């Protein structure tokens, strides 16, 4: 496969943020002066290896149009084709790219809710996976000792953490591989792109992520994300 393949970031941003629990969808929560989604898009658009950034919005999204994208590289476009689950949103985004991308082009799916993606993680994904037939994901080896709880919130078992990694995004796959995997997936149950690819009998590679690349899930995650953004250098 040639090195001329493109790297296209796909950002699912059609969720409601139910665990976050705010009236505004989580991806529009403001952090360090800009919405979470803006930060995720800016980190991707700033990286020289990324050729395009495609954002998948819910059908009734009216807020994306108000984002300040003027100062960013003009490689960003949005599509109002989000679905009921994250996997459905990603699949709709992939389908909307048919005819615009090649089967071997890389798709980097990245959560709108991860605003602190370090450039080095993209470097490692692009570098490690170049020439790979399948792709892989950013992830971190689990460091804590793991406990399985019983119904009474007491420890039922200690789970060996050997070989266990926590998945992050970006998850980077060939367009053709990822489209095929999601076309065959149970969209209500698959929780990440790699899971759908694994179900097709393929073995995605684990690429070292970064603890800074946290996902904002609960309001308590915002304070750490804000501190990380300051430490990483602000874009706004
Ligand atoms: N997402 C999406 N379409 C959906 C559900 C989620 O595009 N139907 C996106 C979210 O907007 C987010 C990413 O997938 O960028 C990761 O999802 P998550 O962090 O779980 O966000 P939400 O699904 O919005 O939050 P929650 O699960 O708490 O409702
Ligand atoms: Mg969710």
């Amino acid at each position: 496969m040639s090195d001329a393949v493109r790297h296209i970031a796909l950002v699912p941003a059609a969720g409601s943020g139910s665990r976050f629990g705010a009236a505004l969808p989580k991806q529009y929560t403001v952090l360090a002066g800009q919405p979470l989604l803006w930060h995720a898009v800016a980190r991707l658009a700033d990286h020289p290896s990324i050729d395009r950034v495609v954002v998948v919005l819910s059908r009734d999204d009216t807020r994306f149009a108000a984002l300040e994208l003027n100062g960013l590289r003009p490689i960003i476009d949005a599509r109002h084709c989000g679905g009921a689950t994250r996997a459905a949103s990603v699949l709709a985004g992939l389908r909307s790219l048919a005819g615009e991308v090649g089967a071997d082009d890389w798709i980097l799916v990245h959560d709108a809710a991860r605003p602190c993606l370090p450039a080095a993680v993209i470097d490692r994904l692009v570098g490690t996976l170049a020439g790979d037939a399948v792709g892989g994901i950013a992830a971190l080896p689990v460091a804590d000792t793991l406990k399985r709880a019983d119904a009474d919130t007491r420890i039922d078992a200690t789970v060996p953490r050997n070989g266990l990694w926590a998945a992050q995004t970006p998850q980077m796959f060939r367009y053709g591989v990822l489209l095929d995997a999601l076309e065959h997936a149970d969209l209500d149950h698959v929780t990440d792109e790699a899971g759908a690819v694994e179900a097709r009998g393929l073995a995605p590679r684990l690429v070292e992520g970064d603890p800074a690349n946290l996902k904002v899930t609960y309001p308590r995650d915002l304070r750490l994300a804000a501190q990380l953004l300051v430490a990483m250098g602000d874009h706004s």
Side-chain angles (χ1 to χ4, degrees), residues 123-143:
D123 291 338
R124 282 196 287 275
L125 284 165
V126 169
T128 306
L129 300 175
D132 198 284
V134 180
I137 70 170
L140 282 179
V142 173

Side-chain angles (χ1 to χ4, degrees), residues 15-19 26 85-86 215:
S16 60
S18 55
R19 285 170 291 177
K26 174 175 74 176
T85 63
R86 177 202 147 98
K215 186 163 74 107

Side-chain angles (χ1 to χ4, degrees), residues 136-187:
I137 70 170
L140 282 179
V142 173
D144 294 330
T145 296
L146 296 176
K147 305 294 185 186
R148 177 169 290 119
D150 68 11
D152 198 25
T153 331
R154 289 182 175 277
I155 296 172
D156 177 52
T158 297
V159 181
R161 65 166 179 252
N162 285 354
L164 290 186
W165 292 58
Q168 299 188 332
T169 71
Q171 303 209 348
M172 175 171 150
F173 293 101
R174 302 277 183 191
Y175 177 76
V177 168
L178 187 55
L179 182 63
D180 168 80
L182 286 172
E183 295 278 13
H184 288 88
D186 175 351
L187 297 179

Side-chain angles (χ1 to χ4, degrees), residues 68-80:
E68 293 169 28
L69 303 179
N70 285 341
L72 304 176
R73 211 150 46 102
I75 58 168
I76 302 157
D77 69 281
R79 286 136 202 241
H80 290 77

